[in-house]
Amino acid sequence: MSKQITLNIDEQTVTVPEGTTILEAAGMAEIEIPRLCYFEGLPPSGTCRLCLVEIEGQERLAVSCTQRVKEGMVVHTRTERVSEARRFVLELIWSTHPGDCTTCEKSGACDLQRYTYEYDVDKARYPMYVPEGSPGTHDDPLIERNLSLCILCGRCIRVCREQGQGILDFMQRGMATVVTTSLDKPLLESGCDFCGSCIAVCPVGCLVERNRKLRGREWELEPKETRCGLCSLGCDLVIDVAHGRIVRTRPGKDGYLCVRGKFGWDFLVSEDRLSQPLVRDGDAFRECSWDEALNTVAQHLAKIREARGPDTVGGVIGGHVSNEAIYLFGKLFRAGVGTNNVDSAAGLAGANVAAQVLDAFGNLRPLSSAADLERAKTILSVGPELGESYPRARLAIKRAVGKGAKLIVVDPSESELARLATIHLKPKAGTEVVVLEGVIRTLIDEGLHDTEFLSSCEGSSEGTMSVGSYDASLTGIADAEVQEAAKLFAKGRAVIALSDLREETVARALALLMLTGRSKHGLLALFPMANPWGAAMLIRGDAIPETAGLSAQQMLDKDSPIAALYVVTADPVGSFGGKDGVKEKLSSLEFLVVQDLFLTKTAQLADVVLPLNGFLEEEGTVFGAGGKLLTMTAAAPARHPPLWQVFSKLSERLDHAMGYRSIREIRTKVKELISEGKEGPTYRFPSLTDKGDTRAKGLPPFSRFSLPETSWSARSQISTLTPAQEATLDSNPANTEEVAK
Amino acid sequence: MADENQGELTARLTPILDRYEGRRGVLVSLLQDVQAEFGFLEEKVMSTVAEALKLPLSHLYGVTSFYSQFYFKPRGKHIVRVCTGTACHIRGAPAIQARLEDELGICAGETTEDLVFTLETVNCVGCCALAPVVTVNDRVLNRREQRKLSGWIREQRAP
Amino acid sequence: MVYRTNAMICTCTNCISNGALQVKDALEKEIKKQHLENDVRVVPTGASGLCVKGPILVVQPEGIFYQLLTVEAVPHLVEEHFLKGRPVKSLMYVPPGEEAPIPNIRDIPFFKNQRLIALRNRGLIDPDEIEEYIARDGYRALAKALTSMTPEKVIAEIKASGLRGRGGAGFPTGQKWEFCRASPETPKYIICNADEGDPGAFMDRSVLEADPHSVLEGMTIGAYAMGGTQGYMYVRAEYPLAIKRMKRAVEQARDYGLLGKDIFGTGFDFDLDVFQGAGAFVCGEETSLIASIEGQPPEPRMRPPFPAQSGLWGKPTNINNVETWANVPVIINWGAEWFSQIGTDTSKGTKVFSLAGNINNAGLVEVPMGITLRQIVYDIGGGIPNRKSFKAVQTGGPSGGFIPSDLLDLSVDYDRLQEAGAIMGSGGMIVVDEETCMVDMAKYFLEFTTSESCGRCNACREGLQAMYQILTNICAGQGKDDDIELLEELAPAVKDGSLCALGRTAPNPVLTTLRYFRDEYEAHIKEQRCPAGVCKALIAYSIDPEKCKGCMLCVKNCPQGAISGEKGQPQTIDQEKCIKCGACHEVCKFEAVTVR
């Protein structure tokens, strides 16, 4: 523990660690010192001169955000002299500030407004020169920059450097100083990734969310804490609602949201959202009541079950919904309909990471969160433009690298992470797997693998591990580079960040973890959906019929026996288009129900379309990236009955009453299925791969990872689906590129 | 300049970047050399330098725009500067500046459309004993030479 | 080869712009033509000091001073002086208002009243030749320090000398060195601040151009004393010749083993880079200069920590200005005791000033501390030209202030100047006469500081801007009754609220003009009148028909065609057309154009 310093602030004795600034120390004693340029968590700049305080024995006023405490220091934060100095600064700023508080979105939460009021500042005393053609509003998407309101505190510059793309700086000097991008270009041309961190720190109305405009005044906002559901990282998020509408989102405790969390929710307030259930009426749809819609669905499902047997009915649900909804969806089919034909849409993407992890390790302890990634000493990032696709992961990696972590990037492109990398392995596109095998090979050849760990694995036998020799001509990466990467990887606490979720890639990543004995928090698999793990596992549920079920892919096959299908928040037609006969299959179904936010391409083929609540509108739990249960609260007003009620009611209409009265009861059930042990969650589910019951019982046989010694040409036949393509499998419109445009 | 392809640009930049390779405290000097090579700090050049130095482009612009002697637009063939140092100020620099602005048809800080002249002010060239002072292409003109300036300007303008 | 005579021709920036290089060429050619090349050697030197009279030639050893040379005058000069031994009177200096020329430089009041320490070699050596510096005891102090003094002894000597920083603030140099030496971190950096940014100051430029090695030697001694290994010479971009000469000096010093590894075989290493600024006044502030070298935007940084603890790249760093460094070798050679006998109680040694503005002998002067302003302005400077009267002298540039005529007997040292509201500053000394408006001057300096402020601190950026706007209004005839009060309120608040010295001193020109020339402010505000006839909005030009001879010179020079009249008859000015440029006033030979 660091040395403690005792000082006196405003007649109060305060003891704080050495190195604390006066402003921080005052804060600990709940004495608030006004500030405009200081922002907690950012390096102080000491330029606004508002946090001036008087220190006994010191002639000049001290800048409390930069001056550190000293033993015995006597500080006064509210003397007349201090107030005068603050009033002076405020008067100067206020003199050049337009002061359009009546229409400014920041009004009510503006620090300048607050302080000028507190210090009773006169606006017009100083004749200030406002240069002609002074910068006005910039034409940027998402973020409105009104530089005439800028008070040059520099917070946005600092936060952009720390969390964003570092595209802002003070330009020019003196009176001409302006905070903007290089050559004052629009944000879009400057490399902004629209995380909106700058908005979160702006003390005035200079930076505001475009989409919040006219939606509500600051004092009307009701903040609610929840989590972002637009990718598998589940970042903390605060949502502000007014008049029953979402006004904006803000970062929660984590202090960061990416463009998806900050702006990507906008689809929720889209005019195009489905507002009522629709039933087919010839070539068109007509709106109907929920009762009518549910009755129609239940009747058709029951009819087809009667006529053709339960295994001609199936259900597919996307990874955006809660564990509770997924669990109940599974139960609806298994218990209500009586079929195992129910699957998550995650399977459609060919990614069955959960199954692979469970197969290899028997539990989900290898899962890592963004926080684990930040603490890593070695990071292996696999996936094209992983940082660009998952900005929170990029930030974690950047922070880790800032703390000295070594970064190995496997990425064919010159991505952002590649620029941060200690080693950038740049393979020919599609040959990432070969590179990983090369690393595995080196680990074994050089004896860098953890034999102790391996021998503790059940059924372990090193002899069965066979990896082909590395062929540099396939990847274009020299042996030496791969070897260097392997040596680096073998050291320190490592996390593999993975956005390339092809089965063969995941298998190699898991092999790497296993070989180096990293059985805990070593894998951050990144999905463009909130709940991939829950979707993959809870869909299994209990009360399983005898016959094995079909996977989502099998159900959508044109020759599948499925006659009635219920698709929730997935858009196979939109994703696959005419490929693989998906559209033909869905068109030829006897009965199709689609539940989604929008009238998707799949929904357009449906007989009944049910509207859906978005991620901020419905409560429930999800599995976070680190394998922990995370709670999402219904932060925004729900528009429709929650999914659990829809599924319950349908089940009831299919003569199987589930008996849940609230989502809490389902959550209890979900929690029963998961025992969150000290070392992470274990699950009581059947194998996800239908290869027999391999419930968690220690570590699995290592031999599962014997990788066949085949030539690459043969292997190249394996899925070449890129994560970007996977992303489009989902009906979720909140993709980064779309948002920014 | 704008038509110059990246390859040529790199070829011109590489020797400069090499000269400062691995040294600290060279950003300003490096950019001065770059400016000497290209005449001004063109956008493409700046982004290439930023990439080579692994620095944010905004940082490069933040630093360079702070100084008065980095330029972001093409400059004239002849740089005429009016010294606005104190001695020059009291001995008539404002009138000289006004006259030159009038003659060249541009304000201080601007370049004529034909790219022949750039007019600037400079804080002090340290030739206060000769005040008021004008410099042309870094050559300090005394009062006698200044009297010939108008004629010289007309000559340079003639096609 | 031994020459009978050395023709020392000044090739400083001033003289070059007056044609010194052409004169030098002509001189060499002519000497050859007269077959004198084995007798007379032409030596290009740095500034001799009396810059306003350039090109200047001093013939040594006799010390005959020639001024305002032209190429045309050279053949006659060479023939008469060098061939026939008859000095040419018509090219000699004549004191203002007198007729008899003064042949010898030692008798010219401008030079006679000076005392040279920092400028000891001015006009005496070729700055491009290290050997000439060495011949004048150059690098002897370094040898002495390295071979016979401990670093502590060197610091003790500097402390005992009472040398204070010549850059402006006057911090005791020895103490500064001691702080840096005491910092445990390594490496340590030694920086010479040659970012002479004050408008109206050219001392450092002259020293660098005339005697670069004196600065290098001082820095190397400092490096030895403080344990520095790497140096930077930060020269402002506006001084191309100084940069060129300094770079050459560094190369020569390296060649002679006076920079680099194992200097004088003592195992002491020190090397130095010349860093060219890029045009920012605030870089003269030490923390800002450090940021500039680091490649950061040159914004001043919070102190503490002081550069002596955490400067360049967080390492202990010592910064002194050019003149301070140039004093160091002399102190080491001659001893602290000798040095401390010069000057006053609190200000030891000499100070270099660049004398400019409305003064006859504009140029570079070095005087002992304690000399009066009157001696500088009249005895050395030769008084005010064109029969105008002295109004004030400005010292310290934008950070300093104006000292009025009734304080002319003020003794020049750090503390007296501060008491008077000005500062010693780096040595710019601008003399202004009755035709200078003090409100306009205050506005001029504020315009300078507002545009040169880094713009990060609110108090400095916005506060100076507010002051500037008030002054602009006053000059434009839009002053309000409470403007003076507002300025007096703003000035201390800006000083108090600013992070660095720029903001803390920028209100000084306003404060001193308010203190000594309040009546001028009041005339502007209350009477709508600019007593000095400068502020355009408050003046009108008219032609006195009594004095006007109708020579039409004003008509020819009026850019607006605002003057009309018959030739030989009194002219009149159309006030509607007049833009008050003052051209007519300037060209009129009969003082017929009056300003009201």
Side-chain angles (χ1 to χ4, degrees), chain A residues 157-482:
Chain A
I157 298 173
R158 284 171 277 154
V159 82
C160 190
R161 275 184 205 147
E162 304 269 319
Q163 302 192 342
Q165 297 292 328
I167 62 157
L168 296 173
D169 209 337
F170 287 110
M171 300 294 165
Q172 318 278 346
R173 67 171 186 231
M175 278 201 285
T177 308
V178 53
V179 172
T180 189
T181 56
S182 300
L183 296 175
D184 199 23
K185 295 227 165 172
L187 295 176
L188 208 51
E189 288 172 40
S190 304
C192 176
D193 66 1
F194 296 93
C195 67
S197 296
C198 51
I199 299 175
V201 300
C202 182
V204 293
C206 171
L207 296 166
V208 294
E209 301 87 349
R210 240 177 225 291
N211 60 2
R212 75 160 287 184
K213 296 208 81 180
L214 304 177
R215 281 191 187 163
R217 305 310 308 248
E218 283 283 342
W219 53 86
E220 296 170 326
L221 305 181
E222 298 165 50
K224 284 185 183 148
E225 287 179 24
T226 181
R227 287 176 178 279
C228 178
L230 296 175
C231 86
S232 58
L233 286 167
C235 298
D236 298 322
L237 173 149
V238 179
I239 162 169
D240 289 320
V241 178
H243 311 296
R245 287 192 302 182
I246 304 172
V247 174
R248 65 162 177 216
T249 54
R250 289 181 279 138
K253 290 186 292 290
D254 190 40
Y256 178 80
L257 282 180
C258 75
V259 63
R260 271 178 277 193
K262 182 67 196 168
F263 297 106
W265 53 267
D266 217 31
F267 66 89
L268 292 176
V269 296
S270 162
E271 297 284 316
D272 297 335
R273 260 185 78 179
L274 293 168
S275 57
Q276 283 286 313
L278 305 171
V279 291
R280 182 159 292 282
D281 189 357
D283 284 344
F285 288 110
R286 83 176 153 76
E287 291 191 350
C288 69
S289 70
W290 272 94
D291 258 349
E292 186 190 340
L294 292 179
N295 286 336
T296 312
V297 173
Q299 280 161 17
H300 279 86
L301 294 184
K303 204 175 77 191
I304 293 165
R305 178 177 61 180
E306 294 306 314
R308 301 170 175 251
D311 286 338
T312 62
V313 179
V316 173
I317 190 163
H320 303 296
V321 295
S322 67
N323 290 327
E324 291 76 12
I326 293 163
Y327 171 70
L328 238 57
F329 191 67
K331 193 160 179 162
L332 167 68
F333 281 84
R334 271 186 272 277
V337 179
T339 177
N340 263 331
N341 291 341
V342 58
D343 197 5
S344 84
L348 281 179
N352 223 338
V353 186
Q356 286 181 281
V357 174
L358 284 174
D359 263 3
F361 287 88
N363 56 42
L364 292 182
R365 277 174 224 150
L367 300 197
S368 138
S369 65
D372 295 325
L373 189 57
E374 275 185 37
R375 286 190 292 266
K377 295 284 175 230
T378 311
I379 296 168
L380 171 63
S381 157
V382 185
E385 305 196 326
L386 181 144
E388 283 83 348
S389 309
Y390 297 96
R392 178 65 185 87
R394 169 191 63 84
L395 180 60
I397 293 173
K398 193 177 155 191
R399 284 178 179 160
V401 170
K403 285 184 278 186
K406 304 289 181 219
L407 172 65
I408 306 159
V409 173
V410 180
D411 187 344
S413 63
E414 283 293 341
S415 61
E416 230 190 305
L417 288 181
R419 286 197 287 277
L420 285 175
T422 318
I423 299 175
H424 176 200
L425 302 174
K426 200 176 163 186
K428 290 176 189 156
T431 66
E432 292 89 336
V433 171
V434 185
V435 176
L436 296 185
E437 267 178 33
V439 174
I440 292 171
R441 179 83 202 197
T442 307
L443 290 176
I444 297 167
D445 289 352
E446 305 266 329
L448 296 168
H449 56 307
D450 187 342
T451 42
E452 201 177 308
F453 173 80
L454 290 173
S455 59
S456 76
C457 295
E458 195 179 310
S460 154
S461 159
E462 268 187 76
T464 60
M465 182 82 192
S466 70
V467 184
S469 56
Y470 174 69
D471 183 353
S473 69
L474 287 173
T475 61
I477 299 170
D479 294 40
E481 268 186 89
V482 171

Side-chain angles (χ1 to χ4, degrees), chain C residues 333-391:
Chain C
N333 267 337
W334 293 75
E337 207 186 313
W338 167 83
F339 185 86
S340 62
Q341 282 165 4
I342 307 165
T344 66
D345 282 354
T346 56
S347 307
K348 302 294 184 192
T350 57
K351 178 76 194 86
V352 180
F353 289 103
S354 57
L355 200 53
N358 304 126
I359 189 145
N360 276 312
N361 297 338
L364 203 64
V365 304
E366 183 170 2
V367 291
M369 296 276 191
I371 192 172
T372 66
L373 281 171
R374 187 183 300 282
Q375 284 172 289
I376 296 178
V377 172
Y378 287 96
D379 298 350
I380 297 174
I384 316 300
N386 305 329
R387 299 194 298 277
K388 301 275 165 54
S389 62
F390 173 90
K391 185 173 200 172

